[in-house]
Amino acid sequence: MEVKVVKDILSANDRIARRNQRLLDEHGILTINIMSAPGAGKTSLILQTITKLKQKARIGVIEGDVASTIDANKVHEQGVAAVQINTAGGCHLDANMIESALNNLPLGDIDLLLIENVGNLICPAEFALGEHKRVMLLSLPEGDDKPYKYPLMFTEADVVLINKIDLLPYLEFNTAAFHKAVTGLNPTAKILPVSCKTGEGLEDWFSWLLDAIGEIKRGGSIAC
Amino acid sequence: MEVKVVKDILSANDRIARRNQRLLDEHGILTINIMSAPGAGKTSLILQTITKLKQKARIGVIEGDVASTIDANKVHEQGVAAVQINTAGGCHLDANMIESALNNLPLGDIDLLLIENVGNLICPAEFALGEHKRVMLLSLPEGDDKPYKYPLMFTEADVVLINKIDLLPYLEFNTAAFHKAVTGLNPTAKILPVSCKTGEGLEDWFSWLLDAIGEIKRGGSIAC
């Protein structure tokens, strides 16, 4: 009985997510759902991406948080269209929230929409938003065993960014073991080690984004 | 309508949590609900606590995870009674799961029960388990702004441990700002900086635990 309710919720969510994606396709907006645990560096990644790509693509941001507008303020200071969604205790964004946010963004003026999901490695992976690609950010200090503990998140990701690699000398993190764990769940995931603090490795992320924007612009959805 | 359903769930949970707590009180078992984001160091804290206190108190552990038995295995290797709860996708432990786990632990042989909640800064704070005290572990790399983003977790905690302080030289973490944010939400919270890697600061944690065990043994619940 309980399972049935969950399925109904997810199926209603998927209907709205498909509607969102059609709208985003019509406008040729590449949309990325960025997910991670709290404090892994989602906002830093978004700020670095804005700084580097704002001359090449018109960027919009949807910020999801349980409370506060700290992140949206940081993004807004960069002169980028930003909408904050506060979930009031909810542990993930859903398609309905994104639909409301899209109504408040200048869709005709955006090429790349970055959605920062609520900091949580569990439920966000279950709720499609209408995005084209899912990006999962693991912060190095979280440890190399996380794919075993939060398998759905790693299974659903198109790109897995390993952030804070500047801390590698001070931590016990087995990069080979982490790669093995991720590819065991998700053989096609692209794994990119980066540091949003030093900028190391981010060029690969920017290239991947620009390629995906190009693909959307050439027409046709690249939905995951 | 939806809010009503949530309230019903929470109130049913609270009834079971109170039943759990009565059972734990009858056995004089101090029970601690340990909560944090993924990879903040809950298991390391539990392993350090077992190593240091197992001569002074009989310890039991309930491990909560979305999937895997990695943590319960580590604890079991220390010769401690351990039960793993896999939530199969669920993002928090609830009182009902703990009731089942208590049925599988030798309650007559335990003085201190450590419950490792699912790695998540949101929903675990909403679900009482029957614990006497709530401990929240923030890992330094997560950043000093987390109390603003996950206020309920910090409001509900009796003790806030700041873990991984050995990484302080390599990070931008404003300790004074963090203290101010926590005490603004929760003026009586005890804030303890520790490193589960180097052992720094853990003596204060052990003292706090031994005092709380003594209080339970002298009779009477010290429920939060």
Side-chain angles (χ1 to χ4, degrees):
Chain A
M1 184 66 177
E2 201 182 343
V3 172
K4 186 168 182 319
V5 173
V6 171
K7 276 190 184 163
D8 284 352
I9 290 170
L10 289 176
S11 126
N13 182 75
D14 282 350
R15 276 196 299 277
I16 305 171
R18 282 194 294 274
R19 203 156 67 207
N20 290 344
Q21 198 172 67
R22 278 197 298 274
L23 182 66
L24 293 160
D25 283 343
E26 280 162 25
H27 287 87
I29 302 173
L30 175 71
T31 303
I32 310 283
N33 181 1
I34 304 175
M35 299 179 278
S36 82
K42 295 183 293 306
T43 312
S44 299
L45 179 74
I46 289 171
L47 293 174
Q48 286 272 18
T49 304
I50 292 170
T51 302
K52 182 68 178 189
L53 296 190
K54 70 180 171 187
Q55 304 302 329
K56 296 179 180 170
R58 297 166 302 167
I59 300 174
V61 175
I62 298 175
E63 285 289 343
D65 271 305
V66 174
S68 94
T69 57
I70 296 174
D71 292 343
N73 294 343
K74 286 181 190 166
V75 169
H76 191 65
E77 285 166 14
Q78 302 299 313
V80 158
V83 171
Q84 175 86 45
I85 298 172
N86 280 343
T87 64
C91 61
H92 58 272
L93 294 178
D94 64 30
N96 194 45
M97 297 174 192
I98 297 303
E99 187 168 53
S100 303
L102 294 178
N103 289 335
N104 288 286
L105 280 168
L107 299 184
D109 301 327
I110 295 176
D111 305 308
L112 170 63
L113 179 60
L114 301 171
I115 303 175
E116 178 173 341
N117 216 312
V118 175
N120 178 352
L121 282 190
I122 310 166
C123 309
E126 293 178 27
F127 287 80
L129 306 178
E131 74 272 31
H132 298 103
K133 296 287 180 190
R134 293 179 182 165
V135 172
M136 197 260 142
L137 199 63
L138 178 99
S139 158
L140 208 78
E142 292 165 36
D144 52 50
D145 62 351
K146 291 301 158 291
Y148 298 110
K149 294 188 170 182
Y150 304 92
L152 185 63
M153 182 61 77
F154 288 88
T155 304
E156 295 282 326
D158 296 287
V159 177
V160 175
L161 295 172
I162 313 177
N163 191 24
K164 307 192 190 181
I165 53 166
D166 52 294
L167 294 175
L168 191 53
Y170 317 113
L171 296 168
E172 287 155 29
F173 186 94
N174 185 329
T175 305
F178 179 74
H179 275 251
K180 190 179 167 199
V182 173
T183 52
L185 290 164
N186 183 349
T188 61
K190 195 174 179 69
I191 304 175
L192 300 176
V194 303
S195 166
C196 291
K197 188 175 175 185
T198 68
E200 189 182 346
L202 284 175
E203 286 304 326
D204 290 339
W205 161 245
F206 299 140
S207 299
W208 179 85
L209 268 181
L210 289 172
D211 286 350
I213 293 171
E215 209 172 323
I216 283 277
K217 294 291 176 197
R218 284 192 299 277
S221 180
I222 53 165
C224 46
Chain B
M1 185 65 176
E2 203 183 342
V3 172
K4 184 166 182 321
V5 174
V6 172
K7 277 190 182 162
D8 283 351
I9 291 170
L10 289 175
S11 125
N13 183 76
D14 283 350
R15 277 196 299 277
I16 304 172
R18 282 195 294 273
R19 203 157 68 205
N20 290 344
Q21 198 172 67
R22 277 197 298 274
L23 182 66
L24 293 160
D25 284 342
E26 280 163 26
H27 287 87
I29 301 173
L30 175 70
T31 302
I32 310 284
N33 181 2
I34 304 175
M35 298 178 279
S36 81
K42 295 183 295 302
T43 311
S44 300
L45 179 74
I46 288 171
L47 292 173
Q48 286 272 15
T49 304
I50 291 170
T51 303
K52 181 70 179 189
L53 296 190
K54 68 180 171 187
Q55 304 302 330
K56 296 178 178 170
R58 296 166 302 167
I59 300 174
V61 175
I62 297 175
E63 285 289 343
D65 270 303
V66 173
S68 93
T69 56
I70 296 174
D71 292 344
N73 293 344
K74 286 182 189 165
V75 168
H76 191 66
E77 284 165 14
Q78 303 299 312
V80 158
V83 171
Q84 175 85 46
I85 298 172
N86 279 343
T87 63
C91 62
H92 58 272
L93 295 178
D94 64 30
N96 194 46
M97 298 174 191
I98 297 302
E99 187 169 52
S100 303
L102 293 179
N103 289 334
N104 288 285
L105 280 168
L107 299 184
D109 300 326
I110 294 175
D111 303 309
L112 170 63
L113 179 61
L114 302 172
I115 302 175
E116 179 174 341
N117 217 311
V118 176
N120 177 353
L121 282 190
I122 309 166
C123 310
E126 293 178 28
F127 287 80
L129 305 179
E131 73 272 31
H132 298 103
K133 297 288 180 190
R134 291 178 184 167
V135 172
M136 197 258 142
L137 199 64
L138 178 99
S139 157
L140 208 77
E142 293 165 36
D144 52 50
D145 61 351
K146 291 300 159 288
Y148 297 110
K149 295 188 171 183
Y150 304 92
L152 185 64
M153 182 62 76
F154 289 88
T155 305
E156 295 282 326
D158 296 287
V159 177
V160 175
L161 295 172
I162 312 176
N163 191 23
K164 309 193 187 178
I165 53 166
D166 53 293
L167 294 175
L168 192 52
Y170 317 113
L171 297 168
E172 287 154 29
F173 185 94
N174 186 328
T175 305
F178 179 74
H179 275 251
K180 189 178 165 201
V182 173
T183 52
L185 291 165
N186 183 350
T188 61
K190 195 173 180 73
I191 304 174
L192 300 176
V194 303
S195 167
C196 292
K197 186 176 175 185
T198 68
E200 188 181 348
L202 284 175
E203 286 303 327
D204 290 340
W205 161 246
F206 300 141
S207 300
W208 179 84
L209 268 182
L210 290 172
D211 286 351
I213 292 171
E215 208 171 324
I216 283 278
K217 295 289 175 196
R218 284 191 300 276
S221 179
I222 54 166
C224 48

